[in-house]
């Protein structure tokens, strides 16, 4: 088995020697390390001198232009590893937040389970996001992962951590030319664009060995652009229907008020009506392929219960805000409807039209207890990836 560990680096000099030392101790013979470096400092020199002393082959790909940032570097690394004949590529950060000792286990897991991708997850089993500094980063990581999973419920059905930067993949199973790397979330790009067999291994995200995180607000913006680029999957028809529903809601609200009704009963009436029209349209146009598992009465009950209570909360909020601060019911209602929209989408994708997890055929064959899990349905389509082709 030939394994290439691809390590993207941007000004990570003080971490290189320690990373290579731990990798060399952990990796089986036949493995090598490929640094894909965009550094502006002396990191390339450090990599070269560490490579000269290392007990395993260490290569350096220094890019003249940092096209695509971290994701672009990873794709360049995958391309280079494929060209050099690697069967497996393991992508990991260069700051030791990803334990090098786990690399062999990731590849072994992929081989025994016949998986294309093994995701090292902070959010499964004994995994932990401990090294992510601050509750804000943890919250953003969790929330952005949840949003991605809601947008790609089938492709990400077995992935609890689509934001991770630590994963192993079978080199011949991804076509780097289909990817549009940008920002930090290369795994999401790979998983959303290709139908792959994915399994997960838990890991504990450690503290950085040295230096500081390169994550920035701009990366957050790029993540949103990336999601948009993956064409917003299911979210876009959901959004169109939500927008139509919101317009209908506002029209009814304005009409009833013009007819002399107080704004509160008018809001209740417009909310009730649009809950029903939204459900009918979403059932038909957004989640049609995911209806199979439950009865439509049950889905309507769940949807109505959620939207109803959400509408009650929203109406109370509206009343509170209109009376206290902003005396424009239509404006406040418009803002509240928009905020409620994302929450509603996540609820519908995660609860009403939930997609069950699956396991690879090879795992089933091992006779492992997989109660409650379904065998992979080869024809599972994910409308969220129509853009992929
Ligand atoms: N070549 C290259 N080019 N490498 C880069 C660039 C770039 O533009 N930007 C960052 N890197 C390298 C860093 O040097 C490091 O080795 C790795 O990518 C991760 O960057 P960090 O700065 O350590 O990011 P982080 O720890 O905040 O984020 C990590 O964890 C996230 C999960 O919360 C990354 O693995 C993210 O991909 C991951 O989503
Ligand atoms: Mn890091």
């Amino acid at each position: 088995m030939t394994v290439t560990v691809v390590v993207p680096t941007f000004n990570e000099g003080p971490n290189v020697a320690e990373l290579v030392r731990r990798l060399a101790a952990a990796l089986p013979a036949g493995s090598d390390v490929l640094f894909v470096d965009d550094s502006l400092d002396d990191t390339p020199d450090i990599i070269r001198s560490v490579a000269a002393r290392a007990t395993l082959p260490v290569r350096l790909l220094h890019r003249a232009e940092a096209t695509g940032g971290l994701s672009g570097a990873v794709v360049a690394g995958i391309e280079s590893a494929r060209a050099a004949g690697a069967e497996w590529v393991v992508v990991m950060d260069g700051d030791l937040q990803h334990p090098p000792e786990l690399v062999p286990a990731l590849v072994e897991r992929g081989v025994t389970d016949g998986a294309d991708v093994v995701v090292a997850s902070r959010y499964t089993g004994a995994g932990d996001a401990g090294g992510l500094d601050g509750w804000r980063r943890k919250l953003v990581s969790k929330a952005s992962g949840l949003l991605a999973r809601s947008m790609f419920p089938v492709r990400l059905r077995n992935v609890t951590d689509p934001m991770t930067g630590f994963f192993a993949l079978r080199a011949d199973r991804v076509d780097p030319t289909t990817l549009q790397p940008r920002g930090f979330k290369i795994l999401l790009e790979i998983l959303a664009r290709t139908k792959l067999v994915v399994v997960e291994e838990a890991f504990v995200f450690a503290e950085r060995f040295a230096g500081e995180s390169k994550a920035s607000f701009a990366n957050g913006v790029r993540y949103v652009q990336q999601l948009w680029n993956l064409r917003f999957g299911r979210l876009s028809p959901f959004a169109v229907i939500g927008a139509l529903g919101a317009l209908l809601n506002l029209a009814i609200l304005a009409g009833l008020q013009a007819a002399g009704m107080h704004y509160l009963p008018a809001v209740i009436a417009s909310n009730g009506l649009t809950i029903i029209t939204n459900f009918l349209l979403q059932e038909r146009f957004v989640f049609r392929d995911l209806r199979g598992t439950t009865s439509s009465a049950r889905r309507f009950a769940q949807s109505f219960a959620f939207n109803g209570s959400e509408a009650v909360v929203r109406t109370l909020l509206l009343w509170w805000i209109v009376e206290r601060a902003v005396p424009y019911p239509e404006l406040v209602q418009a803002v509240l409807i928009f905020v409620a929209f994302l929450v509603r989408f996540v609820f519908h994708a995660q609860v009403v039209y939930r997609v069950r997890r699956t396991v690879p055929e090879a795992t089933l064959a091992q006779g492992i207890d997989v109660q409650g899990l379904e065998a992979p349905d080869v024809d599972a389509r994910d409308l969220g990836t129509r853009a992929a082709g």
Side-chain angles (χ1 to χ4, degrees):
M1 189 70 47
T2 53
V3 179
T4 294
V5 178
V6 168
V7 185
T9 46
F10 183 78
N11 300 350
E12 297 288 1
N15 293 313
V16 172
E18 178 67 6
L19 176 65
V20 169
R21 185 187 70 74
R22 283 176 59 181
L23 276 172
L27 294 177
S31 318
D32 65 352
V33 183
L34 171 61
F35 285 93
V36 186
D37 183 72
D38 293 324
S39 298
L40 305 169
D41 63 5
D42 61 348
T43 303
D45 299 329
I46 295 175
I47 293 172
R48 278 186 211 101
S49 78
V50 167
R53 287 179 280 121
T55 54
L56 84 175
V58 175
R59 292 190 291 137
L60 167 64
L61 178 68
H62 181 77
R63 303 197 302 163
E65 254 177 85
T67 322
L70 168 54
S71 291
V74 168
V75 171
I78 295 173
E79 273 172 343
S80 168
R82 270 163 61 106
E87 288 166 79
W88 283 85
V89 174
V90 178
V91 177
M92 69 188 299
D93 292 351
D95 58 1
L96 289 155
Q97 292 196 279
H98 298 153
E101 293 71 28
L102 193 66
V103 171
L106 292 183
V107 177
E108 270 159 37
R109 179 72 195 285
V111 172
T112 49
D113 281 17
D116 302 315
V117 180
V118 183
V119 173
S121 169
R122 297 161 291 179
Y123 302 122
T124 190
D128 191 77
L132 211 55
D133 35 72
W135 62 270
R136 271 192 211 90
R137 281 265 341 238
K138 288 199 175 90
L139 188 72
V140 167
S141 166
K142 267 264 172 190
S144 46
L146 195 59
L147 184 60
R149 289 171 62 194
S150 299
M151 289 168 57
F152 300 99
V154 178
R155 287 276 159 96
L156 299 182
R157 71 200 311 169
N158 300 318
V159 184
T160 57
D161 195 357
M163 305 290 112
T164 188
F166 193 16
F167 55 93
L169 89 160
R170 227 179 261 274
D172 59 0
R173 290 295 287 125
V174 274
D175 178 1
T177 60
T178 63
L179 305 174
Q180 293 172 27
R182 63 162 110 193
F184 268 37
K185 308 305 171 195
I186 184 58
L187 177 64
L188 176 65
E189 183 78 20
I190 291 170
L191 296 180
R193 292 205 190 267
T194 322
K195 185 168 166 44
L196 297 162
V197 179
V198 190
V199 294
E200 287 192 325
E201 280 285 322
F203 88 105
V204 176
F205 193 67
E207 301 280 338
R208 246 179 180 273
F209 183 69
E212 275 175 15
S213 169
K214 283 37 174 212
S216 59
F217 182 72
N219 278 312
V221 174
R222 269 182 220 116
Y223 171 65
V224 174
Q225 287 175 332
Q226 178 186 18
L227 286 177
W228 187 271
N229 250 33
L230 294 166
R231 273 222 217 131
F232 263 113
R234 249 168 243 281
L235 192 56
S236 81
F238 193 87
V240 170
I241 289 165
L244 288 176
L247 287 180
L248 186 65
N249 188 306
L250 294 173
I252 297 171
L253 176 61
L256 291 178
Q257 283 193 104
M261 201 186 261
H262 185 260
Y263 76 85
L264 274 181
V267 161
I268 292 168
S270 60
N271 285 347
L273 275 170
T274 47
I275 284 175
I276 297 170
T277 54
N278 276 2
F279 174 79
L280 294 174
L281 291 171
Q282 274 148 15
E283 173 96 351
R284 173 83 181 71
F285 294 109
V286 185
F287 296 107
R288 192 157 67 166
D289 59 325
L290 300 181
R291 287 183 306 191
T293 44
T294 51
S295 73
S296 62
R298 186 196 154 116
R299 291 193 299 275
F300 180 75
Q302 285 178 329
S303 182
F304 198 87
F306 179 87
N307 290 340
S309 30
E310 179 251 295
V312 169
V313 171
R314 179 151 47 89
T315 310
L316 289 174
L317 260 177
L318 172 117
W319 170 74
W320 191 74
I321 296 172
V322 169
E323 296 300 328
R324 297 215 162 196
V326 190
Y328 306 103
E330 280 86 355
L331 175 70
V332 176
Q333 172 79 329
V335 173
L336 289 178
I337 283 174
F338 180 72
V339 174
F341 156 75
L342 280 180
V343 180
R344 192 184 313 126
F345 174 69
V346 169
F347 177 82
H348 280 77
Q350 295 293 323
V351 179
V352 183
Y353 298 96
R354 186 167 79 97
V355 176
R356 309 278 308 268
R357 291 169 62 89
T358 59
V359 292
E361 235 106 43
T363 311
L364 286 174
Q366 290 167 30
I368 291 166
D369 180 16
V370 286
Q371 250 189 350
L373 300 183
E374 292 165 9
D377 47 342
V378 208
D379 291 317
R381 279 184 318 127
D382 193 333
L383 291 183
T385 51
R386 276 171 309 176

